[in-house]
């Protein structure tokens, strides 16, 4: 029962729509053809019989009222729904030519070919009706070539006016509900520019054309100028912009029409039809390129998220290794104490100071190795402490290199991953400077920013200076092995790679007495979140 109620409702609604669009149509602007094609493209096949019944009901009333004027042959032929002749073409477009691949995409080339075919079929049907009509005595001869050209233009313009606009509405409805689509459209950039820029531009052009003198060409210039909003919206928003601009521009051209068969209006319509067709194809291509660019950006974000996730996992592994080495150090200490205790019990007079010294050296080496993998100071007291008092600061101080660090900004709001990234960048820069053997004074500055909804960032600046007197006093034989143990030793490439991993960049320039390395990093906030979203 519900199925038949739907069939009746669609038939009644379509009959009313056909009657309304027929009243709006003129020979060179047949929006009724646009209604036919829109219905066939979007209505499921099971409701196509209802479309035939609805149009038949509308045409039957027209045939009955005009049978005495145009004859019974015309009345019977007119009662045949013209939508029936367009159904095979649209069916092929939907099933074979893939005119609507998804609910949000359109094969624009196929759509325009289908539009031309439907317009030609509709034009042929109308010419056949004229041939069957009983014309009044003394009626002027019909120039079928002129009439065919006018109807072909009207049908094609009707399709371009209605169908792309309907597809834009369909796309909006597929992404939201009926109650929300209008608010979403008005809040979008396309909706805002259509309401506040497109419509005022068209109103100005219409005012220029309507207020111009009849003998001037201003009206025709205003009609032709309707293509400008179409081009502008196409370049901004793809085929959706071309659809909206084409619909409003087509209406504006008809509003400026001084007489029903004005030659200037026909010329303007031909130009607008060519413009809309070209812009729909161009806009579809722009849309494809935009989607490709968005996909590339998404792939880039995915790759960065994956790299950041790997960095995060690598740091966690280093932390686990560091903790394991701490446990090994404690175990070594216990084993040494137990062995020395038993050795002293067996030979009380033995001097065990050498063994204890060796045990302390081994424990110290294990501690330094664990601290270089993941600083204990960072785990216990954070980034401030590890940069000012951590293993790198101690190594430099013990080796005779002047070191100073200054941190400002909301450092505590940054994620632990970016904390370790900052520390690794500082260690790489210092190691790179020390391997050149011309560093005696190091100044590190860290600046952070970004609050609330802003993206958090950090800038690291390392100034590497040297003086001949201080360089001579540096104990390089002790400094280099311990510095290289804390960093990778790859130098500048490692700094650039780490900066790129966190969507930043690194640069190096000369300063008075040395050089400066500057690195900007952006906080991922949640390493691997993009990876998890895509997974």
């Amino acid at each position: 029962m519900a199925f038949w109620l739907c069939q009746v409702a669609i038939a009644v609604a379509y009959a009313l729509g056909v009657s309304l669009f027929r009243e709006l149509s003129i020979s060179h602007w047949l929006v009724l053809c646009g209604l036919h094609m829109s219905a066939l493209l979007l209505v499921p096949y099971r409701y196509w019989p209802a479309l035939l019944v609805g149009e038949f009901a509308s045409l039957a009333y027209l045939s009955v009222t005009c049978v005495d004027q145009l004859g019974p042959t015309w009345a019977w032929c007119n009662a045949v729904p013209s939508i029936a002749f367009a159904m095979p073409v649209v069916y092929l477009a939907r099933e074979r030519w893939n005119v609507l691949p998804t609910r949000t995409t359109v094969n624009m080339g196929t759509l325009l070919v289908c539009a031309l075919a439907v317009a030609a079929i509709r034009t042929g049907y109308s010419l056949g009706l004229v041939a069957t009509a009983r014309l009044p005595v003394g009626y002027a001869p019909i120039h079928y070539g002129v009439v065919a050209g006018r109807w072909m233009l009207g049908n094609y313009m009707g399709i371009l006016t209605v169908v792309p606009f309907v597809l834009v509405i369909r796309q909006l409805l597929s992404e939201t509900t009926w109650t929300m689509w209008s608010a979403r459209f008005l809040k979008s950039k396309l909706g805002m520019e259509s309401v506040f820029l497109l419509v005022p531009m068209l109103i100005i052009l219409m005012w220029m054309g309507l207020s111009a003198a009849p003998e001037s060409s201003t009206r025709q210039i205003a009609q032709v100028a309707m293509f400008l909003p179409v081009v502008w919206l196409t370049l901004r928003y793809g085929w959706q912009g071309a659809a909206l601009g084409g619909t409003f521009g087509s209406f504006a051209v008809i509003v400026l029409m001084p007489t029903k068969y004005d030659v200037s209006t026909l010329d303007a319509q031909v130009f607008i039809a060519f413009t809309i067709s070209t812009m729909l194809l161009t806009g579809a291509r722009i849309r494809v390129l935009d989607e490709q660019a968005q996909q590339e950006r998404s792939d880039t974000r995915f790759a960065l998220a994956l790299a950041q996730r790997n960095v995060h996992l690598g740091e966690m592994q280093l932390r686990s290794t560091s903790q394991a080495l701490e446990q090994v150090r404690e175990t070594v200490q216990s084993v040494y104490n137990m062995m020395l205790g038993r050795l002293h019990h067996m030979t009380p007079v033995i001097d065990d100071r050498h063994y204890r010294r060796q045990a302390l050296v081994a424990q110290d080496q294990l501690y330094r190795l664990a601290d270089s993998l993941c600083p204990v100071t960072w785990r216990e007291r954070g980034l401030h402490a590890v940069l000012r008092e951590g293993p790198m600061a101690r190594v430099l101080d013990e080796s005779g290199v002047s070191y100073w660090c200054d941190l400002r900004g909301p450092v505590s709001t940054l994620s632990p991953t970016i904390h370790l990234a900052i520390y690794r960048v500082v260690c790489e820069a210092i190691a790179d400077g020390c391997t050149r053997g011309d560093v005696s004074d190091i100044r590190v500055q860290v600046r952070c920013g970004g609050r609330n909804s802003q993206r958090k960032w950090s800038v690291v600046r390392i100034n590497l200076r040297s003086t001949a007197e201080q360089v001579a006093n540096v104990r390089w034989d002790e400094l280099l092995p311990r510095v290289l143990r804390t960093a990778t030793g790859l130098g500048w490439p490692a700094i650039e790679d780490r900066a790129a991993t966190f969507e930043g960049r690194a640069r190096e320039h000369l300063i008075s007495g040395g050089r400066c390395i500057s690195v900007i990093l952006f906080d991922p906030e949640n390493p691997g979140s993009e990876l998890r979203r895509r997974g």
Side-chain angles (χ1 to χ4, degrees):
M1 187 64 179
F3 173 77
W4 291 108
L5 289 177
C6 289
Q7 293 279 358
V8 172
I10 290 175
V12 172
Y14 189 68
L16 295 176
V18 169
S19 301
L20 174 62
F21 275 71
R22 182 184 295 111
E23 294 298 325
L24 296 175
S25 298
I26 56 179
S27 61
H28 49 88
W29 194 64
L30 294 165
V31 290
L32 179 59
C33 187
L35 175 65
H36 288 337
M37 187 169 171
S38 299
L40 292 177
L41 283 174
L42 301 182
V43 173
Y45 297 133
R46 63 180 179 273
Y47 296 120
W48 278 19
L51 300 180
L52 291 171
V53 173
E55 186 172 5
F56 172 79
S58 177
L59 294 175
Y61 173 78
L62 182 63
S63 296
V64 171
T65 56
C66 299
V67 64
D68 295 334
Q69 181 181 0
L70 300 176
T73 304
W74 176 90
W76 282 107
C77 293
N78 182 69
V80 178
S82 60
I83 195 174
F85 301 101
M87 283 181 173
V89 177
V90 179
Y91 177 82
L92 288 175
R94 290 178 62 172
E95 295 298 321
R96 300 290 181 86
W97 302 338
N98 202 23
V99 65
L100 300 175
T102 64
R103 291 186 60 85
T104 59
T105 57
V106 179
N107 189 339
M108 196 56 65
T110 302
L111 179 68
L112 293 180
V113 171
C114 182
L116 286 171
V118 171
I121 291 173
R122 173 83 180 177
T123 301
Y125 168 79
S126 300
L127 291 174
L129 281 181
V130 171
T132 61
R134 185 177 61 194
L135 301 178
V137 178
Y139 193 84
I142 298 176
H143 300 282
Y144 284 95
V146 176
V147 174
R150 188 184 301 146
W151 280 344
M152 183 67 185
L153 173 63
N155 286 315
Y156 188 61
M157 277 299 297
I159 293 175
L160 293 181
T161 302
V162 177
V163 175
F165 182 80
V166 171
L167 293 179
V168 171
I169 300 300
R170 169 181 177 264
Q171 184 177 13
L172 287 174
L173 291 178
S174 65
E175 298 173 353
T176 184
T177 60
W178 277 96
T179 57
M180 298 293 294
W181 77 268
S182 57
R184 179 174 178 177
F185 174 75
L186 292 176
K187 290 180 180 179
S188 66
K189 291 183 179 180
L190 176 58
M192 294 290 290
E193 293 190 15
S194 298
V195 173
F196 295 105
L197 292 177
L198 173 63
V199 174
M201 288 174 62
L202 295 178
I203 291 176
I204 291 173
L205 289 174
M206 287 189 292
W207 171 78
M208 290 174 56
L210 294 174
S211 61
E215 64 276 3
S216 68
S217 60
T218 305
R219 184 187 294 264
Q220 184 180 6
I221 293 174
Q223 287 178 321
V224 174
M226 297 299 175
F227 84 95
L228 294 173
V230 181
V231 175
W232 169 57
L233 286 179
T234 302
L235 297 178
R236 292 274 292 166
Y237 303 104
W239 72 266
Q240 292 92 342
L244 291 178
T247 298
F248 287 110
S250 179
F251 272 107
V253 170
I254 297 301
V255 170
L256 288 177
M257 182 177 60
T259 58
K260 191 172 184 180
Y261 301 115
D262 178 58
V263 177
S264 299
T265 300
L266 292 174
D267 294 340
Q269 282 189 294
V270 171
F271 182 75
I272 294 298
F274 175 77
T275 302
I276 295 175
S277 302
T278 305
M279 289 300 103
L280 286 173
L281 291 172
T282 304
R285 183 57 182 168
I286 291 174
R287 183 70 175 181
V288 171
L289 294 177
D290 183 62
E291 290 177 353
Q292 290 178 354
Q294 291 180 358
Q295 182 64 38
E296 290 177 359
R297 287 194 293 269
S298 177
D299 293 341
T300 301
R301 289 195 298 268
F302 174 74
L304 284 173
L306 182 61
Q308 292 166 1
R309 182 68 174 174
N310 288 333
V311 170
H312 180 71
L313 293 176
E315 294 291 353
M316 294 301 99
Q317 291 175 349
L318 290 177
R319 181 174 182 175
S320 300
T321 305
S322 175
Q323 292 174 343
L325 287 174
E326 285 287 328
Q327 295 175 357
V328 170
R329 186 174 71 89
E330 295 175 358
T331 303
V332 168
Q333 182 181 6
S334 300
V335 171
Y336 262 99
N337 290 334
M338 181 180 64
M339 292 178 61
L340 290 176
R342 293 195 174 187
L343 182 62
H344 188 270
H345 178 74
M346 295 173 60
T347 56
V349 296
I350 192 172
D351 187 4
D352 61 354
R353 287 178 297 178
H354 174 71
Y355 297 103
R356 293 188 181 277
R357 187 164 51 252
Q358 292 296 327
L360 292 176
V361 170
Q363 294 173 29
D364 183 65
Q365 289 177 345
L366 287 173
Y367 173 78
R368 291 178 184 276
L369 179 59
D371 202 30
S372 64
L373 293 176
C374 185
V376 178
T377 311
W378 175 79
R379 298 202 302 262
E380 296 176 351
R381 299 166 56 193
L383 183 63
H384 287 81
V386 74
L387 286 180
R388 291 173 177 170
E389 307 169 13
M392 183 61 76
R394 292 196 301 270
V395 167
L396 294 174
D397 182 65
E398 294 171 1
S399 302
V401 177
S402 175
Y403 175 79
W404 175 82
C405 178
D406 178 41
L407 291 86
R408 296 183 184 179
V411 180
S412 60
T413 62
L414 299 176
S415 65
T417 302
I418 206 69
H419 281 182
L420 282 174
I422 294 172
Y423 175 71
R424 300 300 184 193
V425 166
V426 172
C427 291
E428 291 289 352
I430 294 175
D432 181 60
C434 291
T435 53
R436 301 187 184 188
D438 60 350
V439 175
S440 61
D441 184 82
I442 299 176
R443 296 289 181 265
V444 176
Q445 295 176 323
V446 179
R447 301 290 183 266
C448 305
R451 297 179 181 272
N452 300 329
S453 61
Q454 296 179 357
R455 185 90 180 270
K456 296 181 178 64
W457 53 266
S458 60
V459 175
V460 184
R461 181 184 175 96
I462 305 102
N463 294 328
L464 305 171
R465 292 187 172 91
S466 64
T467 59
E469 298 80 5
Q470 292 179 339
V471 169
N473 296 327
V474 176
R475 295 184 291 276
W476 298 105
D477 54 339
E478 298 180 7
L479 176 62
L480 289 178
R482 297 173 65 182
V483 164
L484 293 176
R485 188 189 305 154
T486 307
T488 63
L490 298 178
W492 179 251
I495 297 173
E496 286 186 314
D497 292 343
R498 195 172 294 272
T501 302
F502 292 92
E503 304 178 64
R505 60 185 182 274
R507 70 185 186 94
E508 182 180 14
H509 62 276
L510 297 177
I511 58 176
S512 176
R515 59 194 179 99
C516 174
I517 297 176
S518 300
V519 182
I520 182 171
L521 305 171
F522 291 94
D523 192 353
E525 295 185 356
N526 191 7
S529 59
E530 181 73 20
L531 179 64
R532 286 191 288 272
R533 282 198 298 271
R534 289 187 56 159

